[in-house]
Amino acid sequence: MQYSSATLIDKYLRTRKIPSTACSGCGLGINHKVVVQAINELDLKVNDIIWGTSIGCAGRQTFATWQGDGFAGTHGRVYAIARGLRIALPPEKKIICTVGDGDAFGIGLMHLIHSARSNVDMTVIVNDNLGYQSTGGQFGFTTPQGAHTDSSPYGMFEHNLMSEGMDVMHILKGAGATFLARHVAMDGQRAVESVKRAILNPGFSLVHMPYPCPTNFASRELGSRNQVNIYRWIKERAKPLEEADENTVWATGVWHDATGSRPEFSEHVWGAVNKIRKTGAL
Amino acid sequence: MKRFLETGNFAITEGAILAGCRFFCGYPITPATELAEAMSKRLPQEGGVYLQAEDECAAMHVCIGASLGGMKAMTATSGPGYILYADPFGWALGCEMPLVVVNSGRVGPVSGITGAPGQGEFYLTRYPTQGGNFEAITLAPNSAQEAMAMVVEAFYLSERFRMPVTVLGDQLITDGFEDITVPENEDEMKEMGFRTWPRSFCAGPDFYPYSDSLDIPPVQMGSGAGGLCSDWTPTEQGYDIEEVEAHHKHAYRLIYKVRNHRDLFNHLYEKKYMDDDPDLVVVSYGTPSRVVNTAVDRARAEGMKVGALRLINLWPFPDEHFKRKTKYLSVELNWDGELVREVQRAAPKDSEVHFLGSCGDLPTIPDLLETFEKLLKNQPLERKGWTLEAW
């Protein structure tokens, strides 16, 4: 299927926010389009989806881009807001949250873990630009080891969630997430397919999507804002899960698919409430 | 009506349910834990949902989410948890999302004493989040029965003003057993002075007009009409905007929708012996006011011209009750004096404003009588373990 951006924009997005205030060469737009394309391929309507966002580049650039309802949470808390909203919404409504790496894996990690534990029906798209770029370019918890940023001038030397055998996906899987995938921005249709499966999963889904930041990350680590360099740099470090080796930073594809294996949060809670109301006990 | 010998936690739970609350999310903390427990038992019976969050910050955000979806929601905590509400409190204020927050005060700072009542959050309830540019509403009951009424009132105000409203109690109110009357229908609720306001619905895209108007429905997610809510300064349609002029309008609304409609809650105070221009006015709120009222009765019986003024709405501060130049004494459950500073500010220039504070236990009636007598005779006050400041 072919989609021009104009078709998707007319159908789903607000032109008021386009063009966005993203930096030249920013890869976030590619990720954003992957999500909208997945929605379109699933033939979902504007009022089927409530779009949540957060802070930083990802939150600010994707907030209010959806023609339907949208909200933005403070730093790392959007998952908690979404959990309450999930209880109040009819089950057929879908919640998609486009957030950043700091929001998801730093300040919001505990809320994310508990949303996974509860298997709340939401799809979290983590747009990872490898650090805190909207605040100027500090390292984050998925910044590749050794990378030079404004707060790691000697090279990022802290233990993080993407090295030494650790991967944030293991944490989320252990916490009970029922769908997990990772794709770099240039994965194209492979990424669209994973996002579709994530949206269809009636439970907690997360797709980690690293993308290039030429302005801050590339200028510090690669010494250049040339977009080609950072796109190539990310692509060289990403491989499909089955081909990943010791040099792979981002193993891409579906990490975990346990669709339907656990009851969905709001269904579970309302089921219990209705039973207690009728019989006085569970 | 039904009568119970029960705790304030029970009363608050029943009040919330009467007001239409069907969602509670909290995090266990003494002395608000039993409120969460009561909610976990009662809400499912009424078709509502109780959730326990991973921390207080999450608890209030979860409540905000439920409110954003159209449910009347409440959370409850104590001081160490209330401070963690600072982040979501700002969201709810900025997004103008109705919510009721109960704070059962204990001795602080930080964890302090878990099992003793305190009044250290007077100012924290006025400035519950960062950034300023807002006004806050706080109600302070002094009994379990009144706690029920105040929670109903808090829901009424939070819906009309489209904002979170704090009910500030303390351990004696939430954990203490008292005789409680619960209305069983709307007529009985009206008879008891309970006011309720239904949740109304704004699908968007309008966020709000730049005015001080009340009764504007909060934005609700789910219809797909394009409703927006964010933590950024909003435009009239809810878009984020980085313009000072737009923020002026936003802040105007957050401040003046409350200040310009104070008639809705400025009757919430209690006067005792205040009609004959008393030589000493004893100011208090919450449980200390119960001892104060008894002490003032005794003082009058002994011929001392003392009056009592109990505040129920703490914020916006009821300056209008401090017009007369006389002696004031603020009685509080803390050692540093918080309410007294506002009394000092609101009272006419050169008024004498004194402070009697203790922490973790109520003042005794003999202590209060001795203090009244000394103040009326212009004698200096003696305080154990604490030297009085100039006021």
Side-chain angles (χ1 to χ4, degrees):
Chain A
M1 269 205 255
Q2 292 273 319
Y3 299 106
S4 71
S5 294
T7 309
L8 293 175
I9 288 168
D10 288 346
K11 197 167 171 186
Y12 292 115
L13 302 182
R14 300 176 192 228
T15 51
R16 191 184 187 282
K17 294 279 286 192
I18 299 166
S20 76
T21 50
C23 305
S24 175
C26 173
L28 181 62
I30 308 176
N31 283 4
H32 199 175
K33 186 177 175 185
V34 162
V35 180
V36 179
Q37 194 155 319
I39 290 167
N40 191 46
E41 289 186 19
L42 292 173
D43 200 26
L44 294 167
K45 306 289 179 285
V46 164
N47 63 4
D48 290 333
I49 290 167
I50 290 91
W51 196 297
T53 64
S54 61
I55 48 148
C57 299
R60 198 68 187 256
Q61 301 302 333
T62 55
F63 175 65
T65 54
W66 184 247
Q67 274 177 20
D69 299 340
F71 64 98
T74 53
H75 32 279
R77 320 298 179 198
V78 69
Y79 327 103
I81 295 174
R83 222 181 307 161
L85 188 58
R86 184 75 270 169
I87 291 290
L89 287 177
E92 64 275 12
K93 299 282 180 187
K94 295 186 182 299
I95 301 172
I96 295 177
C97 298
T98 45
V99 302
D101 48 297
D103 192 280
F105 304 145
I107 192 164
L109 185 60
M110 185 163 73
H111 306 311
L112 197 66
I113 283 172
H114 284 279
S115 297
R117 166 185 67 81
S118 305
N119 200 28
V120 184
D121 185 12
M122 68 169 103
T123 301
V124 179
I125 308 291
V126 183
N127 296 285
D128 181 356
N129 54 8
L130 315 182
Y132 293 85
Q133 311 308 347
S134 71
T135 50
Q138 299 77 36
F139 71 84
F141 310 100
T142 56
T143 304
Q145 288 282 324
H148 294 79
T149 70
D150 277 358
S151 60
S152 58
Y154 307 106
M156 155 70 181
F157 57 82
E158 272 199 49
H159 306 289
N160 73 12
L161 294 169
M162 289 287 295
S163 59
E164 301 165 347
M166 289 186 284
D167 195 303
V168 69
M169 289 299 199
H170 299 312
I171 296 174
L172 293 167
K173 185 180 172 185
T178 42
F179 184 86
L180 296 167
R182 171 177 292 134
H183 291 282
V184 293
M186 42 295 268
D187 271 10
Q189 191 61 29
R190 281 182 73 220
V192 174
E193 294 302 327
S194 288
V195 174
K196 279 159 66 177
R197 285 168 68 178
I199 293 171
L200 288 177
N201 172 37
F204 182 85
S205 306
L206 182 139
V207 184
H208 180 209
M209 296 177 71
Y211 71 94
C213 167
T215 300
N216 285 328
F217 186 82
S219 71
R220 310 297 192 279
E221 172 60 13
L222 306 180
S224 162
R225 295 187 183 193
N226 186 321
Q227 294 148 24
V228 175
N229 292 345
I230 180 66
Y231 277 69
R232 185 180 293 142
W233 192 87
I234 287 180
K235 205 165 182 185
E236 283 169 0
R237 285 160 179 75
K239 272 189 179 171
L241 267 163
E242 52 280 12
E243 298 169 24
D245 56 34
E246 68 273 15
N247 296 319
T248 305
V249 177
W250 299 289
T252 61
V254 174
W255 272 65
H256 176 59
D257 186 352
T259 300
S261 62
R262 299 174 61 216
E264 192 278 324
F265 168 70
S266 61
E267 206 178 312
H268 187 62
V269 169
W270 279 118
V273 166
N274 291 332
K275 195 168 175 196
I276 294 167
R277 199 175 193 193
K278 274 185 196 158
T279 66
L282 275 176
Chain B
M1 294 187 196
K2 276 190 176 171
R3 287 182 70 193
F4 300 87
L5 180 61
E6 261 293 355
T7 62
N9 290 311
F10 169 89
I12 290 169
T13 301
E14 294 305 318
I17 288 167
L18 288 169
C21 172
R22 292 296 178 271
F23 188 89
F24 182 98
C25 185
Y27 186 83
I29 183 169
T30 304
T33 310
E34 290 84 356
L35 186 45
E37 290 172 353
M39 279 290 188
S40 72
K41 186 181 176 190
R42 286 288 286 121
L43 274 179
Q45 294 169 351
E46 299 294 331
V49 170
Y50 164 86
L51 295 179
Q52 192 163 297
E54 56 271 25
D55 62 17
E56 285 88 348
C57 181
M60 191 162 169
H61 275 104
V62 173
C63 286
I64 284 172
S67 190
L68 188 61
M71 296 178 84
K72 285 188 182 175
M74 184 173 102
T75 184
T77 189
S78 183
Y82 192 73
I83 192 67
L84 296 179
Y85 285 172
D87 174 358
F89 218 110
W91 200 96
L93 280 167
C95 290
E96 302 195 48
M97 206 46 61
L99 196 65
V100 172
V101 182
V102 176
N103 181 357
S104 181
R106 70 190 210 195
V107 171
V110 285
S111 296
I113 301 172
T114 58
Q119 288 185 328
E121 284 100 70
F122 177 76
Y123 276 111
L124 197 58
T125 59
R126 169 61 185 92
Y127 299 105
T129 189
Q130 45 68 244
N133 301 310
F134 62 86
E135 187 61 83
I137 300 176
T138 302
L139 308 177
N142 77 349
S143 69
Q145 183 69 51
E146 198 180 63
M148 178 195 293
M150 285 302 111
V151 164
V152 177
E153 183 73 7
F155 273 99
Y156 170 87
L157 295 173
S158 81
E159 292 297 330
R160 294 201 67 185
F161 285 89
R162 204 164 87 150
M163 65 186 286
V165 172
T166 299
V167 176
L168 182 62
D170 62 55
Q171 194 208 15
L172 293 168
I173 291 166
T174 55
D175 287 359
F177 278 76
E178 292 192 89
D179 181 13
I180 296 160
T181 303
V182 181
E184 292 185 273
N185 53 49
E186 281 191 18
D187 287 341
E188 288 179 358
M189 282 173 72
K190 274 183 194 158
E191 200 181 313
M192 290 176 73
F194 288 9
R195 309 187 279 185
T196 59
W197 199 264
R199 170 59 60 87
S200 45
F201 177 80
C202 168
D206 293 337
F207 184 68
Y208 62 75
Y210 291 123
S211 75
D212 62 359
S213 319
L214 294 190
D215 306 333
I216 295 167
V219 172
Q220 188 171 319
M221 302 278 108
S223 74
L228 292 174
C229 255
S230 83
D231 44 326
W232 294 295
T233 294
T235 65
E236 286 176 342
Q237 290 78 38
Y239 288 98
D240 52 318
I241 188 166
E242 295 228 3
E243 285 179 12
V244 172
E245 185 66 23
H247 195 79
H248 286 170
K249 293 176 179 174
H250 184 49
Y252 173 88
R253 175 170 178 75
L254 296 181
I255 295 167
Y256 290 100
K257 70 175 177 183
V258 178
R259 289 189 189 167
N260 291 349
H261 294 94
R262 294 181 59 174
D263 53 310
L264 275 169
F265 44 80
N266 64 6
H267 61 285
L268 296 173
Y269 60 90
E270 183 189 359
K271 276 182 175 179
K272 206 172 175 67
Y273 308 113
M274 289 288 285
D275 295 334
D276 59 355
D277 200 8
D279 298 332
L280 173 67
V281 172
V282 189
V283 189
S284 61
Y285 69 91
T287 45
S289 64
R290 297 171 67 153
V291 189
V292 165
N293 280 348
T294 309
V296 167
D297 284 342
R298 297 262 185 94
R300 281 282 169 165
E302 291 176 19
M304 287 187 264
K305 206 174 164 192
V306 181
L309 179 63
R310 179 179 53 119
L311 307 181
I312 299 173
N313 78 297
L314 302 183
W315 305 110
F317 194 75
D319 286 22
E320 61 271 22
H321 302 317
F322 300 89
K323 296 265 189 263
R324 282 191 311 107
K325 186 175 169 182
T326 185
K327 281 181 183 162
Y328 292 94
L329 170 69
S330 177
V331 179
E332 307 176 41
L333 278 176
N334 59 56
W335 288 112
D336 55 320
E338 297 191 13
L339 170 64
V340 64
R341 295 168 201 267
E342 282 301 300
V343 175
Q344 191 180 35
R345 182 193 57 72
K349 204 180 170 194
D350 302 329
S351 297
E352 268 188 52
V353 183
H354 300 271
F355 166 59
L356 182 73
S358 65
C359 204
D361 54 5
L362 292 170
T364 64
I365 289 167
D367 271 354
L368 284 171
L369 287 172
E370 188 189 333
T371 306
F372 299 166
E373 200 172 350
K374 282 190 170 173
L375 288 175
L376 290 170
K377 289 180 178 168
N378 293 318
Q379 291 173 352
L381 297 181
E382 280 176 26
R383 293 295 314 279
K384 48 185 175 181
W386 195 70
T387 306
L388 274 178
E389 292 184 31
W391 25 261

